Amino acid sequence: MILNERIAVCPGSFDPITLGHLDIISRASSMFDKLIVVVMNNMNKSGCFSPEERKELIIKTTCGLHNVEVDIYDGLLAEYAKSKNACAIIKGLRAMSDFEYEFQMALTNKKLNPNVETLFLTTSSENMYLSSSMVKQIASMGGDISSFVPAEIHDDIIKRISSKKD
């Protein structure tokens, strides 16, 4: 560990990772010494990919980012950030509807871990509508998702969505 290393955590369900996620991860990685992308369990969503598979998909798409690590965690984000000595939590925002929920979560995380700040990064305009749910829906109906997901994992997603339909 580097003395005074600035570590950030970028949590999400990433089921699967999209170009919108990758945009946020790439931009955040340039702001910190280390960025930990952490696959979290979202109790409100049923996963298409297992957490381990999501981790592997993220590793495939972030291998060119030298300071990015990928992890899995099933617990409180504030505790995870504390355990990794993170100074920041990175959250991507697509629309105002995201902000209300994420703001509430940021306040809760700050209460649970006063040493961590939440930073919001707005998505690029071409990704404002993009979500993992939308990608899965388009793929399940035979649509072209190539402009929504990293090329390295396109076939993995198509294969999984196709097998779920059978």
Side-chain angles (χ1 to χ4, degrees), residues 84-105:
K84 297 298 180 178
N85 295 313
C87 63
I89 295 170
I90 305 297
K91 298 297 290 187
L93 296 178
R94 292 176 297 209
M96 283 304 292
S97 56
D98 285 348
F99 179 76
E100 192 172 332
Y101 173 77
E102 294 298 349
F103 185 68
Q104 181 180 17
M105 294 305 301

PDB file of all heavy atoms in Angstrom, residues 84-105:
ATOM      1  N   LYS A  84     -11.423  -1.128   3.099  1.00  0.00           N
ATOM      2  CA  LYS A  84     -10.460  -0.905   2.006  1.00  0.00           C
ATOM      3  C   LYS A  84      -9.742   0.434   2.133  1.00  0.00           C
ATOM      4  O   LYS A  84      -8.995   0.828   1.244  1.00  0.00           O
ATOM      5  CB  LYS A  84     -11.178  -0.984   0.650  1.00  0.00           C
ATOM      6  CG  LYS A  84     -11.780  -2.344   0.354  1.00  0.00           C
ATOM      7  CD  LYS A  84     -10.707  -3.415   0.299  1.00  0.00           C
ATOM      8  CE  LYS A  84     -11.295  -4.783   0.000  1.00  0.00           C
ATOM      9  NZ  LYS A  84     -10.265  -5.812  -0.106  1.00  0.00           N
ATOM     10  N   ASN A  85      -9.991   1.151   3.236  1.00  0.00           N
ATOM     11  CA  ASN A  85      -9.408   2.487   3.449  1.00  0.00           C
ATOM     12  C   ASN A  85      -9.749   3.453   2.315  1.00  0.00           C
ATOM     13  O   ASN A  85      -8.939   4.297   1.940  1.00  0.00           O
ATOM     14  CB  ASN A  85      -7.888   2.408   3.639  1.00  0.00           C
ATOM     15  CG  ASN A  85      -7.521   1.656   4.890  1.00  0.00           C
ATOM     16  OD1 ASN A  85      -8.087   1.897   5.959  1.00  0.00           O
ATOM     17  ND2 ASN A  85      -6.591   0.726   4.759  1.00  0.00           N
ATOM     18  N   ALA A  86     -10.948   3.312   1.774  1.00  0.00           N
ATOM     19  CA  ALA A  86     -11.380   4.183   0.685  1.00  0.00           C
ATOM     20  C   ALA A  86     -11.788   5.550   1.225  1.00  0.00           C
ATOM     21  O   ALA A  86     -12.407   5.653   2.284  1.00  0.00           O
ATOM     22  CB  ALA A  86     -12.544   3.544  -0.068  1.00  0.00           C
ATOM     23  N   CYS A  87     -11.447   6.576   0.468  1.00  0.00           N
ATOM     24  CA  CYS A  87     -11.846   7.930   0.837  1.00  0.00           C
ATOM     25  C   CYS A  87     -13.091   8.365   0.074  1.00  0.00           C
ATOM     26  O   CYS A  87     -13.701   9.380   0.409  1.00  0.00           O
ATOM     27  CB  CYS A  87     -10.701   8.917   0.588  1.00  0.00           C
ATOM     28  SG  CYS A  87     -10.201   9.068  -1.139  1.00  0.00           S
ATOM     29  N   ALA A  88     -13.472   7.584  -0.958  1.00  0.00           N
ATOM     30  CA  ALA A  88     -14.615   7.994  -1.782  1.00  0.00           C
ATOM     31  C   ALA A  88     -15.381   6.798  -2.316  1.00  0.00           C
ATOM     32  O   ALA A  88     -14.821   5.724  -2.557  1.00  0.00           O
ATOM     33  CB  ALA A  88     -14.139   8.861  -2.944  1.00  0.00           C
ATOM     34  N   ILE A  89     -16.667   7.036  -2.518  1.00  0.00           N
ATOM     35  CA  ILE A  89     -17.563   6.118  -3.213  1.00  0.00           C
ATOM     36  C   ILE A  89     -17.979   6.836  -4.488  1.00  0.00           C
ATOM     37  O   ILE A  89     -18.421   7.986  -4.440  1.00  0.00           O
ATOM     38  CB  ILE A  89     -18.803   5.785  -2.361  1.00  0.00           C
ATOM     39  CG1 ILE A  89     -18.389   5.021  -1.095  1.00  0.00           C
ATOM     40  CG2 ILE A  89     -19.831   4.999  -3.184  1.00  0.00           C
ATOM     41  CD1 ILE A  89     -19.512   4.869  -0.071  1.00  0.00           C
ATOM     42  N   ILE A  90     -17.824   6.182  -5.614  1.00  0.00           N
ATOM     43  CA  ILE A  90     -18.166   6.768  -6.910  1.00  0.00           C
ATOM     44  C   ILE A  90     -19.503   6.210  -7.375  1.00  0.00           C
ATOM     45  O   ILE A  90     -19.684   4.997  -7.449  1.00  0.00           O
ATOM     46  CB  ILE A  90     -17.095   6.434  -7.979  1.00  0.00           C
ATOM     47  CG1 ILE A  90     -15.708   6.867  -7.526  1.00  0.00           C
ATOM     48  CG2 ILE A  90     -17.473   7.038  -9.323  1.00  0.00           C
ATOM     49  CD1 ILE A  90     -15.532   8.339  -7.324  1.00  0.00           C
ATOM     50  N   LYS A  91     -20.424   7.105  -7.681  1.00  0.00           N
ATOM     51  CA  LYS A  91     -21.730   6.699  -8.205  1.00  0.00           C
ATOM     52  C   LYS A  91     -21.996   7.435  -9.509  1.00  0.00           C
ATOM     53  O   LYS A  91     -21.787   8.647  -9.599  1.00  0.00           O
ATOM     54  CB  LYS A  91     -22.839   7.029  -7.198  1.00  0.00           C
ATOM     55  CG  LYS A  91     -22.722   6.300  -5.871  1.00  0.00           C
ATOM     56  CD  LYS A  91     -22.825   4.793  -6.001  1.00  0.00           C
ATOM     57  CE  LYS A  91     -24.222   4.381  -6.358  1.00  0.00           C
ATOM     58  NZ  LYS A  91     -24.476   2.969  -6.348  1.00  0.00           N
ATOM     59  N   GLY A  92     -22.444   6.708 -10.491  1.00  0.00           N
ATOM     60  CA  GLY A  92     -22.815   7.302 -11.773  1.00  0.00           C
ATOM     61  C   GLY A  92     -24.281   7.685 -11.756  1.00  0.00           C
ATOM     62  O   GLY A  92     -25.114   6.962 -11.207  1.00  0.00           O
ATOM     63  N   LEU A  93     -24.571   8.833 -12.338  1.00  0.00           N
ATOM     64  CA  LEU A  93     -25.960   9.311 -12.422  1.00  0.00           C
ATOM     65  C   LEU A  93     -26.369   9.450 -13.878  1.00  0.00           C
ATOM     66  O   LEU A  93     -25.658  10.045 -14.682  1.00  0.00           O
ATOM     67  CB  LEU A  93     -26.107  10.673 -11.744  1.00  0.00           C
ATOM     68  CG  LEU A  93     -25.849  10.745 -10.246  1.00  0.00           C
ATOM     69  CD1 LEU A  93     -26.004  12.185  -9.773  1.00  0.00           C
ATOM     70  CD2 LEU A  93     -26.799   9.841  -9.486  1.00  0.00           C
ATOM     71  N   ARG A  94     -27.552   8.925 -14.198  1.00  0.00           N
ATOM     72  CA  ARG A  94     -28.099   9.068 -15.548  1.00  0.00           C
ATOM     73  C   ARG A  94     -29.115  10.192 -15.604  1.00  0.00           C
ATOM     74  O   ARG A  94     -29.160  10.945 -16.554  1.00  0.00           O
ATOM     75  CB  ARG A  94     -28.775   7.768 -15.985  1.00  0.00           C
ATOM     76  CG  ARG A  94     -27.835   6.627 -16.204  1.00  0.00           C
ATOM     77  CD  ARG A  94     -28.600   5.383 -16.523  1.00  0.00           C
ATOM     78  NE  ARG A  94     -29.448   5.038 -15.370  1.00  0.00           N
ATOM     79  CZ  ARG A  94     -29.826   3.838 -15.036  1.00  0.00           C
ATOM     80  NH1 ARG A  94     -29.488   2.817 -15.776  1.00  0.00           N
ATOM     81  NH2 ARG A  94     -30.553   3.608 -13.978  1.00  0.00           N
ATOM     82  N   ALA A  95     -29.975  10.278 -14.619  1.00  0.00           N
ATOM     83  CA  ALA A  95     -31.078  11.239 -14.656  1.00  0.00           C
ATOM     84  C   ALA A  95     -31.390  11.703 -13.238  1.00  0.00           C
ATOM     85  O   ALA A  95     -30.882  11.160 -12.261  1.00  0.00           O
ATOM     86  CB  ALA A  95     -32.314  10.578 -15.272  1.00  0.00           C
ATOM     87  N   MET A  96     -32.249  12.691 -13.137  1.00  0.00           N
ATOM     88  CA  MET A  96     -32.639  13.207 -11.821  1.00  0.00           C
ATOM     89  C   MET A  96     -33.266  12.113 -10.961  1.00  0.00           C
ATOM     90  O   MET A  96     -33.110  12.118  -9.745  1.00  0.00           O
ATOM     91  CB  MET A  96     -33.619  14.379 -11.963  1.00  0.00           C
ATOM     92  CG  MET A  96     -32.947  15.679 -12.366  1.00  0.00           C
ATOM     93  SD  MET A  96     -31.629  16.177 -11.232  1.00  0.00           S
ATOM     94  CE  MET A  96     -32.556  16.580  -9.770  1.00  0.00           C
ATOM     95  N   SER A  97     -33.943  11.171 -11.566  1.00  0.00           N
ATOM     96  CA  SER A  97     -34.552  10.092 -10.798  1.00  0.00           C
ATOM     97  C   SER A  97     -33.485   9.263 -10.081  1.00  0.00           C
ATOM     98  O   SER A  97     -33.715   8.767  -8.986  1.00  0.00           O
ATOM     99  CB  SER A  97     -35.403   9.203 -11.707  1.00  0.00           C
ATOM    100  OG  SER A  97     -34.626   8.713 -12.777  1.00  0.00           O
ATOM    101  N   ASP A  98     -32.301   9.123 -10.674  1.00  0.00           N
ATOM    102  CA  ASP A  98     -31.196   8.439 -10.006  1.00  0.00           C
ATOM    103  C   ASP A  98     -30.723   9.234  -8.792  1.00  0.00           C
ATOM    104  O   ASP A  98     -30.385   8.667  -7.764  1.00  0.00           O
ATOM    105  CB  ASP A  98     -29.992   8.291 -10.943  1.00  0.00           C
ATOM    106  CG  ASP A  98     -30.164   7.229 -12.003  1.00  0.00           C
ATOM    107  OD1 ASP A  98     -31.102   6.432 -11.915  1.00  0.00           O
ATOM    108  OD2 ASP A  98     -29.333   7.213 -12.930  1.00  0.00           O
ATOM    109  N   PHE A  99     -30.702  10.564  -8.931  1.00  0.00           N
ATOM    110  CA  PHE A  99     -30.119  11.413  -7.898  1.00  0.00           C
ATOM    111  C   PHE A  99     -30.830  11.275  -6.560  1.00  0.00           C
ATOM    112  O   PHE A  99     -30.179  11.172  -5.519  1.00  0.00           O
ATOM    113  CB  PHE A  99     -30.092  12.884  -8.328  1.00  0.00           C
ATOM    114  CG  PHE A  99     -29.518  13.776  -7.272  1.00  0.00           C
ATOM    115  CD1 PHE A  99     -28.152  13.809  -7.047  1.00  0.00           C
ATOM    116  CD2 PHE A  99     -30.331  14.553  -6.479  1.00  0.00           C
ATOM    117  CE1 PHE A  99     -27.603  14.603  -6.057  1.00  0.00           C
ATOM    118  CE2 PHE A  99     -29.804  15.355  -5.478  1.00  0.00           C
ATOM    119  CZ  PHE A  99     -28.436  15.380  -5.270  1.00  0.00           C
ATOM    120  N   GLU A 100     -32.135  11.266  -6.567  1.00  0.00           N
ATOM    121  CA  GLU A 100     -32.879  11.219  -5.313  1.00  0.00           C
ATOM    122  C   GLU A 100     -32.510   9.986  -4.492  1.00  0.00           C
ATOM    123  O   GLU A 100     -32.202  10.082  -3.296  1.00  0.00           O
ATOM    124  CB  GLU A 100     -34.382  11.243  -5.593  1.00  0.00           C
ATOM    125  CG  GLU A 100     -35.207  11.478  -4.360  1.00  0.00           C
ATOM    126  CD  GLU A 100     -36.674  11.697  -4.697  1.00  0.00           C
ATOM    127  OE1 GLU A 100     -36.999  12.170  -5.793  1.00  0.00           O
ATOM    128  OE2 GLU A 100     -37.491  11.371  -3.822  1.00  0.00           O
ATOM    129  N   TYR A 101     -32.496   8.840  -5.126  1.00  0.00           N
ATOM    130  CA  TYR A 101     -32.136   7.593  -4.446  1.00  0.00           C
ATOM    131  C   TYR A 101     -30.671   7.611  -4.023  1.00  0.00           C
ATOM    132  O   TYR A 101     -30.331   7.262  -2.883  1.00  0.00           O
ATOM    133  CB  TYR A 101     -32.417   6.395  -5.362  1.00  0.00           C
ATOM    134  CG  TYR A 101     -31.911   5.093  -4.810  1.00  0.00           C
ATOM    135  CD1 TYR A 101     -32.592   4.429  -3.795  1.00  0.00           C
ATOM    136  CD2 TYR A 101     -30.728   4.522  -5.292  1.00  0.00           C
ATOM    137  CE1 TYR A 101     -32.126   3.235  -3.275  1.00  0.00           C
ATOM    138  CE2 TYR A 101     -30.257   3.326  -4.774  1.00  0.00           C
ATOM    139  CZ  TYR A 101     -30.951   2.693  -3.771  1.00  0.00           C
ATOM    140  OH  TYR A 101     -30.481   1.514  -3.255  1.00  0.00           O
ATOM    141  N   GLU A 102     -29.787   8.003  -4.938  1.00  0.00           N
ATOM    142  CA  GLU A 102     -28.354   7.992  -4.647  1.00  0.00           C
ATOM    143  C   GLU A 102     -27.978   9.008  -3.570  1.00  0.00           C
ATOM    144  O   GLU A 102     -27.074   8.767  -2.774  1.00  0.00           O
ATOM    145  CB  GLU A 102     -27.539   8.239  -5.923  1.00  0.00           C
ATOM    146  CG  GLU A 102     -27.655   7.139  -6.954  1.00  0.00           C
ATOM    147  CD  GLU A 102     -27.147   5.774  -6.497  1.00  0.00           C
ATOM    148  OE1 GLU A 102     -26.497   5.672  -5.431  1.00  0.00           O
ATOM    149  OE2 GLU A 102     -27.401   4.795  -7.210  1.00  0.00           O
ATOM    150  N   PHE A 103     -28.673  10.127  -3.522  1.00  0.00           N
ATOM    151  CA  PHE A 103     -28.431  11.128  -2.485  1.00  0.00           C
ATOM    152  C   PHE A 103     -28.773  10.552  -1.110  1.00  0.00           C
ATOM    153  O   PHE A 103     -28.021  10.712  -0.151  1.00  0.00           O
ATOM    154  CB  PHE A 103     -29.239  12.396  -2.774  1.00  0.00           C
ATOM    155  CG  PHE A 103     -28.961  13.523  -1.824  1.00  0.00           C
ATOM    156  CD1 PHE A 103     -27.729  14.162  -1.812  1.00  0.00           C
ATOM    157  CD2 PHE A 103     -29.931  13.948  -0.936  1.00  0.00           C
ATOM    158  CE1 PHE A 103     -27.471  15.203  -0.935  1.00  0.00           C
ATOM    159  CE2 PHE A 103     -29.679  14.987  -0.049  1.00  0.00           C
ATOM    160  CZ  PHE A 103     -28.439  15.616  -0.050  1.00  0.00           C
ATOM    161  N   GLN A 104     -29.902   9.870  -1.016  1.00  0.00           N
ATOM    162  CA  GLN A 104     -30.307   9.219   0.233  1.00  0.00           C
ATOM    163  C   GLN A 104     -29.259   8.188   0.660  1.00  0.00           C
ATOM    164  O   GLN A 104     -28.878   8.120   1.825  1.00  0.00           O
ATOM    165  CB  GLN A 104     -31.671   8.563   0.041  1.00  0.00           C
ATOM    166  CG  GLN A 104     -32.205   7.890   1.278  1.00  0.00           C
ATOM    167  CD  GLN A 104     -33.568   7.240   1.028  1.00  0.00           C
ATOM    168  OE1 GLN A 104     -33.979   7.021  -0.108  1.00  0.00           O
ATOM    169  NE2 GLN A 104     -34.252   6.918   2.096  1.00  0.00           N
ATOM    170  N   MET A 105     -28.772   7.403  -0.302  1.00  0.00           N
ATOM    171  CA  MET A 105     -27.744   6.406   0.003  1.00  0.00           C
ATOM    172  C   MET A 105     -26.444   7.074   0.450  1.00  0.00           C
ATOM    173  O   MET A 105     -25.780   6.593   1.373  1.00  0.00           O
ATOM    174  CB  MET A 105     -27.479   5.509  -1.208  1.00  0.00           C
ATOM    175  CG  MET A 105     -28.664   4.631  -1.603  1.00  0.00           C
ATOM    176  SD  MET A 105     -29.311   3.597  -0.280  1.00  0.00           S
ATOM    177  CE  MET A 105     -27.897   2.648   0.159  1.00  0.00           C
TER     178      MET A 105
END
